[in-house]
C-alpha cells in the first residue's frame, strides 16, 4: 500500500477444487480404502492363482460405513463451506453449518436442507464428521484445542482443509490416543502427523487443479 501497489485475494476461486478433494477423502476414510489399497499392493508378492482367494477371504477386514445418514458439521460458511454443506445434503447427509460472522450472500446459497446453527457447541456435539473451512487469523489460530475436541462426539472424524495452524496438533494427537477422536484428515502434513495410523494427510492439494489456478488468476486480473 505504501508503494501504491494493489494486492488482491481471490475468495471462492478454489472452492470447487477443495470440495472435490474433501468428499473423496471422507470416502477413503469411511470405506477403509487406504487400507484396502495397501492390502492389494501386498498381493503382488503371492502366486497369481491365489490372489482372488486372498481378496475374498480378507475383504471383510476393510468393511466400511456409508456417509448417507451421517451428521456433517461444517465450520465456516464461506464459498467452500457452503458448497461442502450443499454437497453433503446431495449425499443424503444431515448437514449443519456454523459461522460466527456469516455473509448474507453465502447463506442465501445454502440448500434448505442445511441447518444453520447459532451454537458452536451444539454443532460439534451432534457431528459424526466436523469439517473446518475458516480463515487463519489471530482469533482462529489453535481454535481446535483440547476444549474444542472435548465438545465433539466420541468417535467423530475431524477434517482440516482450511489452514494448518487452526488445529493444535498436540491436542488432536491426545484425543486420538484416548479414543475420543476417531481420525483426522488434513491437507497440512507435519512430522507429528505423517505416518500416524489414525491420520490421513495430503500434500496441500486443496487448490491444486488447473481450473482452480486459472480461476484465481482470472479473478485477480478482473
Amino acid at each position: 500500500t505504501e508503494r501504491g501497489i494493489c494486492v488482491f485475494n481471490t475468495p471462492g476461486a478454489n472452492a470447487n477444487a477443495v470440495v472435490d478433494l474433501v468428499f473423496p477423502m471422507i470416502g477413503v476414510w469411511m470405506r477403509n480404502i487406504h487400507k484396502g489399497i495397501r492390502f492389494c499392493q501386498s498381493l503382488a508378492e503371492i502366486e497369481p492363482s491365489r490372489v482372488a482367494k486372498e481378496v475374498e477371504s480378507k475383504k471383510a477386514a476393510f468393511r466400511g460405513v456409508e456417509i448417507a445418514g451421517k451428521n456433517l458439521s461444517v465450520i465456516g460458511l464461506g464459498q467452500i463451506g457452503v458448497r461442502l454443506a450443499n454437497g453433503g445434503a446431495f449425499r443424503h447427509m444431515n448437514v449443519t453449518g456454523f459461522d460466527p460472522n456469516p455473509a448474507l450472500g453465502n447463506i442465501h446459497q445454502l440448500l434448505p436442507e442445511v441447518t444453520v446453527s447459532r451454537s458452536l457447541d451444539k454443532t460439534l456435539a451432534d457431528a459424526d464428521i466436523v469439517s473446518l473451512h475458516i480463515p487463519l487469523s489471530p482469533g482462529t489460530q489453535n481454535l481446535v484445542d483440547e476444549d474444542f475436541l472435548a465438545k465433539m462426539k466420541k468417535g467423530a472424524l475431524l477434517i482440516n482443509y482450511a489452514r494448518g495452524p487452526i488445529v493444535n496438533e498436540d491436542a488432536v494427537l491426545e484425543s486420538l490416543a484416548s479414543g475420543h477422536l476417531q481420525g483426522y484428515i488434513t491437507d497440512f502434513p507435519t512430522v507429528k502427523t505423517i505416518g500416524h495410523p489414525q491420520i490421513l494427510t495430503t500434500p496441500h492439494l486443496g487448490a491444486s487443479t488447473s481450473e482452480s489456478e486459472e480461476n484465481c488468476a482470472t479473478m485477480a486480473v478482473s
Side-chain angles (χ1 to χ4, degrees):
T1 301
E2 291 175 356
R3 294 170 180 260
I5 299 171
C6 294
V7 179
F8 300 95
N9 70 333
T10 54
N14 65 356
N16 282 333
V18 176
V19 174
D20 270 355
L21 185 55
V22 170
F23 277 115
M25 292 304 296
I26 293 175
V28 164
W29 180 269
M30 302 289 276
R31 296 294 301 273
N32 290 312
I33 293 171
H34 55 305
K35 297 177 182 178
I37 288 173
R38 286 199 297 267
F39 166 69
C40 288
Q41 291 170 337
S42 73
L43 299 177
E45 304 300 323
I46 71 173
E47 290 292 330
S49 60
R50 292 175 48 205
V51 170
K53 183 177 180 180
E54 281 292 300
V55 168
E56 293 305 315
S57 65
K58 302 287 179 60
K59 67 180 184 181
F62 311 110
R63 182 178 57 195
V65 295
E66 299 179 17
I67 65 172
K70 301 298 184 295
N71 297 335
L72 170 65
S73 286
V74 180
I75 311 301
L77 293 173
Q79 285 291 314
I80 296 172
V82 165
R83 296 185 197 198
L84 189 82
N86 289 344
F90 279 128
R91 290 165 173 81
H92 308 290
M93 304 180 79
N94 306 311
V95 185
T96 300
F98 173 82
D99 194 311
N101 299 294
L104 195 59
N106 291 333
I107 297 300
H108 282 170
Q109 295 177 35
L110 284 170
L111 292 175
E113 293 86 352
V114 177
T115 299
V116 178
S117 173
R118 295 183 179 274
S119 168
L120 177 60
D121 289 1
K122 188 174 188 310
T123 304
L124 296 176
D126 295 338
D128 300 303
I129 302 169
V130 174
S131 194
L132 306 170
H133 300 285
I134 53 179
L136 177 62
S137 70
T140 62
Q141 185 165 350
N142 287 318
L143 172 71
V144 180
D145 56 10
E146 293 86 350
D147 183 56
F148 183 104
L149 294 166
K151 293 173 181 176
M152 291 176 62
K153 182 164 70 173
K154 180 177 172 60
L157 175 66
L158 177 66
I159 300 171
N160 180 17
Y161 276 75
R163 288 291 183 266
I166 290 171
V167 171
N168 183 312
E169 288 186 341
D170 290 332
V172 166
L173 291 171
E174 289 178 9
S175 187
L176 290 170
S178 72
H180 184 75
L181 194 63
Q182 173 193 154
Y184 178 44
I185 303 176
T186 179
D187 207 21
F188 312 100
T190 69
V191 293
K192 292 183 179 181
T193 59
I194 294 170
H196 192 289
Q198 293 170 274
I199 299 176
L200 286 183
T201 58
T202 48
H204 203 182
L205 293 178
S208 295
T209 67
S210 299
E211 294 85 352
S212 172
E213 291 170 3
E214 183 170 342
N215 289 342
C216 289
T218 301
M219 182 182 292
V221 171
S222 297

